[in-house]
Each structure stands twice: as C-alpha cells, then as structure tokens.
Amino acid sequence: MKFVAKISLLGVMLFSMVSASAQHYRFGGLMMDHDGMMSSDMYSLSQVNFGFGTARSMAMAGAFTSLGGDLSSMGINPAGLAMYRHNEISLSPMMGFQNSTNSAEDWGDNQRSRFALSNIGATFKLYEGSRSNLVSLNAGIGYNRVADFNYRYGYSSLSAPSDSPYRSINDAFVRQLGQGGVFPDKDGALNYAFGDAYYWGGILAYNNWLLDAERDEFGDYWTSANTLGVNANVGHTVGVESKGSIGEVQVALAANFNNTFYIGGTIGIQHVKWDRQFYYGEDYQYNGQQPVYSDGTPIAEPAEWMDYNQAVELSGAGVNFKLGAIYRPFPALRLGAAIHTPTYYALDRTYQAYMATNYNPNGDTTLPLEDIGDQTWDFVSPTRLMFGASYTFGRMAVVSVDYERTWYNGMRVKNVPDGFDLMPDDYRAEFKANYKGANTLRIGAEIKPLSVVSLRAGYGVSDAMLRNDKELYYNNPTTYKTTCVSAGLGFQLGAVSLDLAYQYIKNEQTEYMLFYAVDDTGYFDSASPTYKTDFVRNYVTLTMGYKF
C-alpha cells in the first residue's frame, strides 16, 4: 500500500493520505514539491499582469482597453484594431534585466538578462466603404510575448543545533519515507527505479548513506541519526534558475461602424516553454566538536555535506479567444470592454533528480532519476474581464485608465497523468480555497509637445489574488502583488515610426520554506528557516513601424 501526504500550495489546506499510524504528516517546500504540477505552477503560468507588446503600449503600462490604434490591441482589446485607417507593420525587440533580493545572504548570481522579441505584427485593411454603416474591416496577425519566466536567485544561511526543528531536509525525508511505507528490500536495496517520484529525494538520500532503515519493537523506521549529529550546525545553500516564456501567435479581425462603434476578436495560440533547475546544498558543521548521537555517543562516520539537484521542464501549447468593443459617444471620449476566455493548456512535463555526498571520495553524484513518461497535464487559466476609458485633448494629449478583473479561483484542471495522487476535483477545491478574483489597475498618458514627438508614462498595480493571509503560503514563493512604472518616447517620421519604452516591474512574493514535515496539529517536526525572495525586472523595448 502506498501512503501519501501531499500538499500543493497552502501549507495547511489540502492533503490526502492513508496510514495506520496515528501521527500524520504533510510535506512540502520549495525543494520537495516537484514530482508533479502543483497549483502554484498553474498560478504562475496564468499570471499575465502588464504583459508585453509594442513600445507605445508598454510605456503606458498596457492601458489600451479603450485606446486602440496599436498592434498590441490584438492581445488586449481587438476592437482597437478597427481604428487603423492604413496598413502597418512593426517589430519590437526587447532587453530584459532581472534582479532578485533575498532575506538571507546572497549566494551565486542573483540576476539574469536576456534579449527577446516583445512583439511583431501587421494589420491590413480588408474593406473600406462610404455608403454603409460599416466604415472599414481590418485584419491583423502577429506574435506577442505574454509571460517571462527568466530569473535567477541564490542565498545561504545557517541553522544552529538549538534551532530545531530548522535542521536538515533529511529529517523530512525520514518522516516522508516512513509514513509512505517505503523501505529497502531484504538485501538492503532501495531501487533507483522506484516509480513514484514523490519519494525520490528520500531514496537518493538513502543511497547516498545519509539515511538508515532500522527496526525496533514497534517495527521498521527511518533515521538520519547515524550520519548527522545532534550538535551539528546545518548550512543551507540554495540556487534556483528559471528560463522560458509564453509567446502567443494572434490572428484578429475588427470592424468599424460609423467611426463610433468598434468590435473585434482574436484567436490566440500560445507556445509554452519553462525550464527550472533547483540546487540545494547542506553543510554539517561541528566547529571542532565530535559529532554525537542524542545520548552523547560519538558518531563514527558523520556526513560532511550533501548536494541535491532537481530539474523540471514544461512545454506545450494553449489556445484562447479575445472579444472586445469600443464606443465613442463623442470624438474625445472612448469607452472599451474586452473579455479573454480561459486559455486551455496541454503541457508535457519531465522531471530529473540526483544527489551527491562526501561519502564518495570523488564527489560523484548518483545516477539521475528521470520521469519522462506520459506527463500530459491539461488545465485552463482564469477568465479576464477588462474595462477602460480614455480621453483625448485635441492633438496634444491623451489619458487612459484600465481596470481588469481576473478570477484565479476559476482555474480548472482537466487532466492529470495516470497514477498521480491528486485528481482534478482536488485541484478545483484548492483553487477555490486559496485564490480569489484579482484586481489590476493601469493608467497611461501621452503628451505631444511637437507633432512628431510623443512623451509617455504609465503606472499599474495588481494584487489581492490570495484568499488567505499571505503568511500561510509558505510552500513556494508566491507572487501576491505586482507594481509597474513605465515611461517612453516616440517619433513619427513620415511613414516610419520609432518608439522607445522602459518598464519597471516589481514582484512581491510570500515568505516560504525549503522543506517541512508538519503534523495535523500544526507542529513542524522538521522544517527549514523561512525565506523571502522578491523580483525586480527592467525592460527596454524599441518598436520600429512602417505605414503603407
């Protein structure tokens, strides 16, 4: 019988397990929850926030629900495409610079920079009339970056012996393997080919001589006491590197009625690529003392260090629809609304883990464990509803304000791989318990001191997507607030336009643990210290456009 105690995001909410023991534990943390897609992964994939696009839209914080007349409209409110009176093509390369701030002492590289394509697109006039209510019909096609998963962070800290339970991840593995009923065979072997990746960390630790299975009058049990003295200081070293993005190919159609009412729709086909590597190391320090058991007996062969490496790769596709309308009650005022249907994702996932310790004189790692079988995960992202209003002051200036509501509690899982412990209904219950509708506000302004020069600025904030106190979301760093400040300028040189934008994005995240085993009373039998990591991203985008 397989015994499982699994938690996905909120430390005290969702678990399922079977055990003959009266003591039940739930396990989690940044370094323990990678055997499958967690709700936190789907939440991260669903966060669009201020997105990307042309330099003009990014300089105004994406406040384009009512404004239109920009190729980024295909991904915001496709009705804005109907405001074009000419054909246009543009290209928007981008540089991104990410920096991390940690509550612990920095270790390794805490920044990442990358060149990427923010937007490329074109719009064409299909029809233009003068004797009907239909003034024009425009089509658009393009590519738009939707999300950026490029970041890097690392830090180190030290737990003293008196800091119990903030000790070693091996203590959590002990509880996990014991509760799961996973023990070596009669020859002392615990096969690396063991099928459930949920237990791979503990299996690797056993095969690296960090854990031992023993027996007493109550039966079989696991222990780390034979290698880790009770008087050990435990150093924790963390390194996380993430690469990838979500890009969307967009095909749009928009119509202009009487230069007053505009409608449009977009089909979005997304490509997802997200690779993450997790490094966790422990150093066992005794400051010249003899490592001992709890009764003071010396340990003959104590552990000195451990390195635990994991890699997760996600790739796949998604599809969604965007519908929108813009109304001009009089020429200076525009009112817009748009709805983005949930994106239906079909993703493939692979997982790898390996470990090294000081017991091999060469420091060689174990053979990697790889989960590369049928790993298709299907889920849908939240629905997004946007409203906007903009006012034009002649040819001199424009101000635009957007409000967006995103229902993160509406995420749904449609399919999980065979044999995974959580079912779609379990995810649904967790989404409803942990998330709620989030609010996003975007404000943008543009001033034209000269007919060929535009100065732009924007501000935006998105928060309130977590239903419970953020202190409870300690299983992973979870974004609870995003702030955007942007600026830019543009030049119109006949048929050619050049626009430059700068965007500052700050992601504030919850405090989290690296590992833990917590019982039903809320007592942490073993756990890491609590850490906090926030991200700052700086983007510079240049758009080159041509009208014809």
Side-chain angles (χ1 to χ4, degrees):
M1 182 181 295
K2 181 175 68 175
F3 305 124
V4 175
K6 180 177 287 295
I7 184 160
S8 171
L9 174 67
L10 182 60
V12 295
M13 288 299 297
L14 179 64
F15 64 97
S16 59
M17 60 190 171
V18 180
S19 175
S21 172
Q23 192 72 14
H24 295 159
Y25 292 95
R26 302 185 295 276
F27 306 94
L30 180 64
M31 297 298 167
M32 292 190 70
D33 260 343
H34 301 299
D35 56 298
M37 279 193 70
M38 300 294 103
S39 65
S40 56
D41 296 326
M42 300 173 192
Y43 170 74
S44 297
L45 288 165
S46 299
Q47 284 194 307
V48 176
N49 291 319
F50 302 94
F52 303 98
T54 65
R56 185 183 180 215
S57 67
M58 291 182 67
M60 298 175 67
F64 268 71
T65 300
S66 64
L67 202 53
D70 190 273
L71 289 179
S72 64
S73 297
M74 286 188 282
I76 301 173
N77 183 353
L81 203 66
M83 293 185 174
Y84 273 97
R85 298 183 179 181
H86 46 72
N87 302 326
E88 182 173 337
I89 185 170
S90 74
L91 174 68
S92 302
M94 175 182 71
M95 278 296 299
F97 306 89
Q98 178 269 333
N99 292 277
S100 302
T101 57
N102 303 298
S103 57
E105 182 179 354
D106 286 352
W107 176 85
D109 196 350
N110 275 273
Q111 58 186 4
R112 182 172 176 81
S113 59
R114 190 174 187 274
F115 175 83
L117 183 63
S118 177
N119 178 276
I120 183 173
T123 181
F124 305 96
K125 185 166 292 187
L126 301 181
Y127 168 83
E128 183 174 11
S130 59
R131 297 185 178 182
S132 67
N133 292 330
L134 179 60
V135 175
S136 62
L137 186 66
N138 295 339
I141 185 169
Y143 166 87
N144 197 71
R145 182 169 291 260
V146 176
D148 181 7
F149 300 132
N150 292 283
Y151 58 81
R152 184 186 287 128
Y153 61 93
Y155 51 82
S156 61
S157 66
L158 184 68
S159 295
S162 60
D163 288 341
S164 180
Y166 305 112
R167 296 290 305 286
S168 171
I169 195 172
N170 295 304
D171 298 329
F173 290 151
V174 161
R175 297 300 185 191
Q176 189 178 44
L177 292 174
Q179 181 164 282
V182 179
F183 287 95
D185 61 23
K186 60 182 178 61
D187 298 320
L190 192 53
N191 197 330
Y192 278 125
F194 187 85
D196 195 339
Y198 180 62
Y199 298 105
W200 281 1
I203 293 171
L204 290 168
Y206 171 73
N207 285 299
N208 275 277
W209 298 280
L210 294 174
L211 306 182
D212 287 295
E214 300 186 353
R215 176 184 288 269
D216 60 15
E217 66 271 23
F218 300 105
D220 295 333
Y221 69 94
W222 285 96
T223 180
S224 60
N226 293 334
T227 56
L228 182 59
V230 296
N231 56 335
N233 297 285
V234 179
H236 312 274
T237 304
V238 175
V240 178
E241 183 173 7
S242 175
K243 303 177 182 178
S245 64
I246 300 178
E248 184 175 79
V249 176
Q250 301 164 345
V251 179
L253 188 66
N256 173 358
F257 295 93
N258 297 321
N259 292 317
T260 301
F261 184 65
Y262 310 81
I263 60 172
T266 298
I267 298 175
I269 301 173
Q270 296 188 356
H271 174 261
V272 180
K273 181 66 174 175
W274 188 16
D275 299 339
R276 288 171 291 169
Q277 294 185 353
F278 300 87
Y279 165 76
Y280 175 63
E282 289 189 346
D283 296 295
Y284 312 118
Q285 306 170 17
Y286 296 93
N287 298 327
Q289 301 180 17
Q290 173 67 43
V292 297
Y293 292 94
S294 58
D295 61 2
T297 303
I299 296 176
E301 296 183 79
E304 297 177 7
W305 55 267
M306 176 270 288
D307 288 338
Y308 183 30
N309 293 272
Q310 301 175 81
V312 180
E313 296 182 0
L314 277 174
S315 62
V319 61
N320 62 46
F321 299 92
K322 304 174 182 67
L323 301 173
I326 296 175
Y327 174 60
R328 298 175 69 180
F330 52 91
L333 179 64
R334 304 179 188 184
L335 305 174
I339 184 170
H340 295 193
T341 69
T343 301
Y344 187 102
Y345 287 108
L347 304 177
D348 290 323
R349 183 182 185 278
T350 62
Y351 172 59
Q352 182 187 81
Y354 58 94
M355 186 179 289
T357 67
N358 61 284
Y359 288 105
N360 188 317
N362 297 322
D364 291 339
T365 63
T366 61
L367 293 174
L369 299 175
E370 294 182 310
D371 189 2
I372 56 176
D374 182 14
Q375 286 286 291
T376 300
W377 300 76
D378 299 343
F379 79 99
V380 294
S381 68
T383 300
R384 303 173 63 200
L385 183 62
M386 291 173 280
F387 300 96
S390 56
Y391 192 87
T392 302
F393 300 87
R395 297 179 179 272
M396 294 295 297
V398 62
V399 175
S400 182
V401 178
D402 281 11
Y403 168 78
E404 176 183 331
R405 182 75 170 174
T406 306
W407 286 273
Y408 288 101
N409 53 331
M411 292 184 291
R412 294 290 182 267
V413 174
K414 300 299 184 180
N415 179 71
V416 298
D418 292 340
F420 193 65
D421 304 305
L422 298 180
M423 294 292 102
D425 285 345
D426 298 322
Y427 283 100
R428 180 174 182 174
E430 188 167 338
F431 291 141
K432 293 179 67 175
N434 294 341
Y435 301 106
K436 61 180 180 178
N439 305 307
T440 300
L441 177 68
R442 302 179 179 90
I443 302 173
E446 180 181 71
I447 299 175
K448 289 190 173 184
L450 300 172
S451 60
V452 296
V453 178
S454 300
L455 304 178
R456 304 173 182 124
Y459 172 80
V461 62
S462 178
D463 62 4
M465 61 281 290
L466 304 183
R467 183 174 296 277
N468 307 281
D469 291 340
K470 61 179 181 291
E471 289 77 12
L472 296 174
Y473 294 78
Y474 48 74
N475 200 57
N476 276 291
T478 302
T479 299
Y480 65 87
K481 183 178 181 180
T482 299
T483 306
C484 170
V485 178
S486 57
L489 68 161
F491 302 93
Q492 189 68 49
L493 308 172
V496 176
S497 61
L498 293 175
D499 297 287
L500 183 67
Y502 166 76
Q503 198 173 69
Y504 167 93
I505 302 287
K506 182 177 182 179
N507 300 119
E508 298 180 59
Q509 303 191 114
T510 58
E511 296 182 350
Y512 60 95
M513 296 180 181
L514 303 175
F515 59 86
Y516 60 82
V518 58
D519 67 18
D520 292 340
T521 68
Y523 171 73
F524 286 92
D525 184 88
S526 61
S528 80
T530 300
Y531 303 92
K532 183 173 173 58
T533 301
D534 291 334
F535 296 150
V536 169
R537 292 182 167 95
N538 298 273
Y539 297 106
V540 178
T541 304
L542 174 67
T543 296
M544 298 164 284
Y546 177 70
K547 299 177 182 179
F548 58 98

